[in-house]
Amino acid sequence: AGPGVNVFLGAINTSWFGLQVNKLNSVGLFLIGGNIFALLVILTLLKEPSVDYSIHHHETSKEDEVKPKAHGWKAILKSLLCLDILVPILSIFSFNANFQL
């Protein structure tokens, strides 16, 4: 946690549910709580894509099959650059980066 948060966490010396919480481990517990909060916010606010039931499935022949264009690392990079994946990853990264100041 950053210096501003350490001012408040440095004076903690208590016990919660049998766990000793002091100035040495309160920062880690605060980060765990922050990460759980970020996870819950992302899981709550990020909507799942809807299923399109209007697409009719039909028999395809070998000529109609679409072959994947990207293989290996290209496929991974292409999927990571998708906004549905990139936004939550960058949200968690920026949320955690704010604690490191």
Side-chain angles (χ1 to χ4, degrees):
V5 177
N6 285 337
V7 169
F8 299 108
L9 297 177
I12 292 179
N13 190 12
T14 186
S15 178
W16 293 340
F17 306 109
L19 176 70
Q20 182 65 27
V21 180
N22 54 29
K23 65 181 181 179
L24 300 176
N25 62 3
S26 61
V27 176
L29 293 173
F30 181 76
L31 287 175
I32 289 171
N35 283 329
I36 291 172
F37 174 73
L39 175 70
L40 292 175
V41 166
I42 289 172
L43 288 175
T44 306
L45 299 179
L46 187 67
K47 67 177 188 173
E48 290 289 325
S50 60
V51 178
D52 188 6
Y53 292 106
S54 66
I55 299 173
H56 298 289
H57 298 286
H58 56 68
E59 296 292 326
T60 58
S61 64
K62 287 282 189 186
E63 297 149 359
D64 293 339
E65 289 182 10
V66 178
K67 295 186 179 183
K69 294 179 181 178
H71 297 287
W73 288 106
K74 285 184 181 180
I76 294 171
L77 184 60
K78 186 176 179 180
S79 66
L80 286 177
L81 292 178
C82 173
L83 288 180
D84 291 338
I85 296 175
L86 191 63
V87 169
I89 289 174
L90 291 178
S91 298
I92 293 172
F93 176 77
S94 62
F95 185 78
N96 284 331
N98 286 321
F99 288 118
Q100 304 305 318
L101 298 176

